[in-house]
Amino acid sequence: AVNGLAAADVQHVMGHQANLRIIEAVMGRLEVPMDRFWLTLDRYGNTSAAAIPMCFDEANRAGKLAPGDRVLLLAAGAGFVWGSGLMSW
């Protein structure tokens, strides 16, 4: 990896939430357990990329973000448009 980290080094994944099947497939491909993915789809439906700041808010309010935690951000758009980012909290 360019950043010297493996997917297992990420504590939180926050991403676009169109449907659970896609989320499970991506997490499986990354080999990261689903319990690291902040899911809002079950409560708010398809919020698209807006799910990312929603997840941050929920994680922050729940006190689940610790200094130094690595957070993987995933977004997708129509067609083959996508983006990602890795940050340290």
Side-chain angles (χ1 to χ4, degrees):
V2 173
N3 55 28
L5 299 172
D9 296 325
V10 173
Q11 286 78 34
H12 306 278
V13 180
M14 300 178 184
H16 180 109
Q17 299 191 25
N19 69 59
L20 187 57
R21 183 176 33 87
I22 293 171
I23 294 166
E24 290 173 337
V26 169
M27 295 298 284
R29 180 110 187 216
L30 292 174
E31 298 180 357
V32 175
M34 273 299 293
D35 64 354
R36 294 189 192 176
F37 191 94
W38 282 86
L39 191 65
T40 59
L41 180 68
D42 55 337
R43 293 181 310 286
Y44 307 113
N46 180 357
T47 56
S48 186
I52 296 170
M54 292 169 65
C55 291
F56 266 112
D57 182 61
E58 287 192 3
N60 188 43
R61 288 176 190 250
K64 299 293 184 176
L65 295 171
D69 276 359
R70 292 180 193 96
V71 183
L72 177 61
L73 310 173
L74 305 171
F80 293 105
V81 179
W82 62 273
S84 65
L86 179 65
M87 63 173 281
S88 181
W89 182 252

